[in-house]
Each structure stands twice: as C-alpha cells, then as structure tokens.
C-alpha cells in the first residue's frame, strides 16, 4: 500500500507516474521535529536503499546527503555521489519504504548522530512523501517501483562487453583496440569514445584531424560486430560560429544569471553555457542534436558532467583573481600559499554558482540550487525522448548524474571510482540500492577509473562485473593501460569475458523480468531468505536474477573466501574455460577460487549459451543446462 503525504511541494519532479490522493488521517511512521522527520529505531533495524552511495548494503550508521556531486574520490567519508535517490527501506519492528520526493538537498542521518535515530532533513521543507508498506521486502520495493514507472530496457547488444578509455585520441587508437581484442579472441561489442573524439570538446562535433571519417569507422567496426558509443557532456562551448551555441543562445535555451544573461561556466571546452534541460523546448532542441551522430550510424551514448559539474564560473573566477592579487607583491608564506590554493579549489562545484543561475520551466522560474538534483535526469530524458524518435530501436543510454525518474530513460554508471580492491566491494554494495530505485542498467568502471590497475585486480573485477548489466572497462587519462590485452597473457581474460557471453541469455532474461515486473535484478540475500538470520548480515554476496548467487573475491592475494549458502546449491566453477559443478549444502563453506577461476552458485538449473565473439554471433537458443 502506498500513502502520499504532501508538504506543500514547490516543484513536481516527475519521479512519480501514479496519481494518488493525499492520505488523510493516517499517521506518519516518522515524528516531525524542527523540520526533520525522525524515527527511533530498534536495535536490530536495518535500512536499505539510497541508490548510489558509499558504504554497506545496510545503510545504517552513516549520514548521506542527496546532492548530485562530481566527486572523484569515493571514500567512506563521502555523503554524496552523482545520484540523488531518496528512497529508504526500513526493516525493523516497523517495516516500510519511504520516498522523499524533492528536487533539492536532503540529508539522511541514519543512526550517525544518534545510533538509534533516523533523522531526515530536507533543506527546503516542501516535498511529497510516499510511505510504502507490504508484506515482504521485495513486495515493498515492487510497490515503490510501480509508483515510479518502468525501468529503461537497453538493446540486447548492450549486454555485451565494452572497452572505454579517456585517451583514445585518434581513429587509430580505436582500430587498434578492436584489433587487439579480436586477435586475442576476446569477445567485445562496444568501444566507447570519450571527449577526445570531439573538436575542442564541443558537443556534437568531431575532430577533423584525429577522427577524419567517423562514419566509416563506425561502419567498419559494426561489420566486425562492434558499436561505437560516444560521450556527450552537459555544457556547451560558448563560441560564436558554433551552431549549437549560436542557436541555443538566440533561442534563450541556456540557463540564465539573475540579470537574464547566459550564465557562463568553465568546463572542458573552456567558457561554456548550460542547456536548460528543465525547459522542455530547450530539452527537445538539444535532444535533436544527437541526430548529427545517429545519422552516421551511432546507436548509443553516455552522458557526462551533468550534475552539472562546474570547474569554475566566469563570475567566481573574476572574484578569485581579485582575491589573489594581494600575493603579487609579497613573499608567499605557507598560510597565503594554502589560502591561494583553496581560493581556486573552492571554485569547483560551488554552492555560490549553483545559486547564481536559473531555469525557465513550465512550473515557473527556478533557481538552480533549489532544483539541482533534477539536472542530470532531464539531460538523460532529453536524449532518450529524442533518440526514441530518431531511431526505431531503443538507444543504449546511460548517465552519470541522476534522480529517480531517470531510471525510465537510461542506465547509470557509478562514475570515477579508483583501481582499488575496496571498490570491487563498493560496486557490489551499490547494486541492490540502485535496483530498488529503478536503476537496473548499471555497472562500475571495471578495473577502476582513477589510478593504475594491476592484472590481478582486473581479473577479480571482471569476475564480479561479468554479472552487471553494464559491463564496461574504463580508465582515466594518464593511467596505465588496462584493456584485457594489456597485461601479457590474454587467455584468462578471454575465458572470463567468454563466460559473460555464455551467461547473457540468463542475464538478459533476468533483466527483462526485473524491468517488466518492477523487481530487483540484484538482491541482498535476506530479500530472498527473509527468515534466515545469517543472510541478514551478508554484505558481500548477492542474488542475481531468480536462481543465481555470486560471492566474488575482492581482496588482494585472496585465493579463497567464505561463502554462505542460504539453501543447498550447486557450485558452478569456470576453470580455463571449462565448467564443472559440485553440490553444496546450506551453510558456510570455505571456497577456493584461484586467480582466473570464476565461481558462482545456483539454486535451480541454469542455461548457458555456446561461446560467441559478440552478441550478434550469439546463439540465444542453443543452450546447455548446468546445475
Ligand atoms: O572531468 O570525459 O566520469 O568517465 O572519462 C572528467 C572525461 C570528465 C568524467 C567521467 C569519466 C570521463 C571523464 N569525465
């Protein structure tokens, strides 16, 4: 059952697709105190949800802030990442889901200040609150999902493996990547283009020197079963003569400052402007621009920098220059050195800037800061709506920033993680929360984005990520190469990625069922085994689809781990490409997983396809049963 409580919302976010009457006379599970929602928890209560956040599957014990943030250090002390996913599921003596639908900042103190108290504080006390009850954790999630509408379904080929790298700067880098994968016999379906393909980082432009014939490149690769997936950034270079800028400026489609002038920010292209995605006309106009790329055969995109990430604003930069003037004429002591440095660092993603520009929406003119969490969502929606009209097939589309609602238009990737062992586990722990909030097509940068990857880390990361719908290896410019061919002997990588392809019919089928029935593709064990006390404490295993369980290795040098089986299961092992099985009893097992083996568990028979070099070559009907 869903109850709606309305606290004079000022903006309809579009997250919810069902019209519900306002609930009268039913008390809230929360108490209202000083503009916060509070709840005393019993000792054993657990809290799930919140989508893309750091720390465990059970979110209790930390404080989170929904405010879409471009932060490339996903450490345990962070309160915000790129998404704003305001759904929690409280599982204690009271059991319910709660969705706080507000476009601005909201804080979830989940037993952080006081270990027994939940305290939820919206910065602007104007919101819709939905309380969801049902007789199981899974049923609460499904009720909630029916409230927010069906999840995006990508094309089948998007379940293949993809390679990305910030730093493939020319056509030859892309061809070389394709050759090396195919020469090594490693399956691949997608190669991603980062901002390097653009001319001066201008959206919808192509560098004539470095990518002289992208149409031909796209065609040649498609002949080999590989699709090119370019990036599109939120900000548009401010440059007269650049049609996207000229048109948008003339039509008033960019966000404005308080005087009605285009608000100018510095991002990759240098001085830039921000398309007003909350203005449907502007969104529609920007969406049509993707045609420049679909016309040459592109079928998918990733949208970046749409928190929106701002390096600085013209206004902030001018103020900073003023502040820095005084260091000209005197020697720089330690304090003024750090002061000067901070003056520049503070410019990035500053609240001051977020408070200095405006959106022209059908619901009125809104200060960006007050609707901040909707920007990435509306960028994704603009692309999705346009792409569905431009082509017959649905696009592959995923975004960095998001709000609930965006799950209907695309997937998300979890942004700039690191090549750290802890980030394999972090990624696993993010998946169920994202699924609860509707985001099913998700995955992390395999091998880690920032800092340099190692062979063993990549092997273990792939062994987990072969189960994530979005399976993409991606790395930052300047880091060591981490393609599956970059570490010498490629056999082990071929076996692991081939196993992904053998599993695709099962994974795809599970995904479609989850999307169509408002279910989770990844679930914590206790969602399936509610009465199992041990399952409640398991934070490093997940259920995948209706019959599979994973328990990946995520520690350096580990060659075995403890695995909890909530019932008798078949252990499936892939060793050098060969599959073997073993029946195991319910309970704890010390499972040996030498580097390169992939081990998972299944409660019911599972069907594997024959190995294939890409999804086009995959025979979806010729399946063999294991388990
Ligand atoms: O400021 O386009 O998260 O995946 O490679 C960095 C360059 C901008 C951030 C994205 C990352 C991408 C990078 N981008």
């Amino acid at each position: 059952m869903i109850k709606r409580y309305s606290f004079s919302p000022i903006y309809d976010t579009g997250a919810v697709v069902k019209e519900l009457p306002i609930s009268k006379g039913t008390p809230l599970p929360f108490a209202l105190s000083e503009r916060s929602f509070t709840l005393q928890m019993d000792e054993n209560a657990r809290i799930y949800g919140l989508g893309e956040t750091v720390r465990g599957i059970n979110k209790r014990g930390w404080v989170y802030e929904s405010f879409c943030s471009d932060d490339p250090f996903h450490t345990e002390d962070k309160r915000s990442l790129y998404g704003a996913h305001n759904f929690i599921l409280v599982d204690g003596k009271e059991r319910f889901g709660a969705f706080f639908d507000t476009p601005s900042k909201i804080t979830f103190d989940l037993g952080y200040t006081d270990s027994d108290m939940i305290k939820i504080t919206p910065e602007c006390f104007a919101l819709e609150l939905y309380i969801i009850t049902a007789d199981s954790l899974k049923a609460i999630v499904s009720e909630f999902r029916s409230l927010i509408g069906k999840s995006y379904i990508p094309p089948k080929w998007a379940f293949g493996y993809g390679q990305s790298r910030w730093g493939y700067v020319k056509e030859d880098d892309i061809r070389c990547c394709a050759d090396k994968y195919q020469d090594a016999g490693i399956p691949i379906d997608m190669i991603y283009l980062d901002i390097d393909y653009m001319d001066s980082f201008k959206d919808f432009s192509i560098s004539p020197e470095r990518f002289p014939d992208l149409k031909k490149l796209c065609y040649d690769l498609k002949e080999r079963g590989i699709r090119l997936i370019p990036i599109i950034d939120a900000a548009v270079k401010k440059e007269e003569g650049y049609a996207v800028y000229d048109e948008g400026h003339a039509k008033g489609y960019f966000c404005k400052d308080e005087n009605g002038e285009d608000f100018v920010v510095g991002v990759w292209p240098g001085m830039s402007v921000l398309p007003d995605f909350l203005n449907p006309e502007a969104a529609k106009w920007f969406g049509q621009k993707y045609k420049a790329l679909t016309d040459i055969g592109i079928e998918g995109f990733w949208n970046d920098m749409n928190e929106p990430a701002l390096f600085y604003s013209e206004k902030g930069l001018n103020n900073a220059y003023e502040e820095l003037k005084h260091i000209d004429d005197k020697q720089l002591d330690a304090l003024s050195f750090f002061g000067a440095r901070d003056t520049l660092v503070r410019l990035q993603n500053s609240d001051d800037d977020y408070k200095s520009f405006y959106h022209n929406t059908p619901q009125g003119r809104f200060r960006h800061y007050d609707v901040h969490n909707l920007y990435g969502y509306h960028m994704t929606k603009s692309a999705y709506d346009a792409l569905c009209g431009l082509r017959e097939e649905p696009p592959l589309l995923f975004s960095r920033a998001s709000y609930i609602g965006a799950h209907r238009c695309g997937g998300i990737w979890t942004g700039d993680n690191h090549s750290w062992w802890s980030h394999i586990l972090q990624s696993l722990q993010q998946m169920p929360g994202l699924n609860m909030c509707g985001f099913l097509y998700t995955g992390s940068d395999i091998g880690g984005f920032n800092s340099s990857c190692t062979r063993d880390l990549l092997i273990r990361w792939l062994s987990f990520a072969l189960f994530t719908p979005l399976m993409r290896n991606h790395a930052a410019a300047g880091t060591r190469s981490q393609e599956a061919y970059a570490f010498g002997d490629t056999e082990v990588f071929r076996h692991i990625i081939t196993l992904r392809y053998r599993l695709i019919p099962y994974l795809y089928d599970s995904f479609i069922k989850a999307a169509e029935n408002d279910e989770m593709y990844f679930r914590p064990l206790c969602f399936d085994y509610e009465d199992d006390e041990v399952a409640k404490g398991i934070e490093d295993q997940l259920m995948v689809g209706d019959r599979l369980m994973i328990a990946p290795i995520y520690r350096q040098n580990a060659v075995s781990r403890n695995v909890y089986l909530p019932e008798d299961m078949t252990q499936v092992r892939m060793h050098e490409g060969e599959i073997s099985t073993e029946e195991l009893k319910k309970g704890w097992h010390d499972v040996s997983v030498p580097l390169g083996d992939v081990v998972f568990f299944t409660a019911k028979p599972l069907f594997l396809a024959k190995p294939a070099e890409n999804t086009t070559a995959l025979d979806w009907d010729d399946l063999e049963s294991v388990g």
Side-chain angles (χ1 to χ4, degrees), residues 244-279:
V244 182
Y245 171 73
D246 287 342
E247 277 175 40
H249 174 69
K251 296 196 158 129
Y253 288 161
F254 299 126
C255 293
K256 301 277 188 278
D257 67 14
E258 58 274 17
N259 303 319
E261 302 292 329
D262 289 351
F263 187 70
V264 180
V265 296
V267 209
W268 288 109
M271 290 304 180
S272 307
V273 287
L274 296 164
D276 187 354
F277 293 111
L278 274 60
N279 169 349

Side-chain angles (χ1 to χ4, degrees), residues 9 128 149 161 163 206 270 300 425 596:
E128 298 277 1
Y161 170 74
Q163 179 65 54
I206 300 160
L425 180 61

Side-chain angles (χ1 to χ4, degrees), residues 166 194-195 231 268 302 304-305 311 400 413 416 449 474:
W166 181 12
D194 207 321
I195 48 174
I231 194 172
W268 288 109
W302 50 309
D304 190 19
M305 305 297 277
F311 297 162
R400 196 171 68 175
W413 93 101
D416 299 347
F449 176 76
H474 180 48

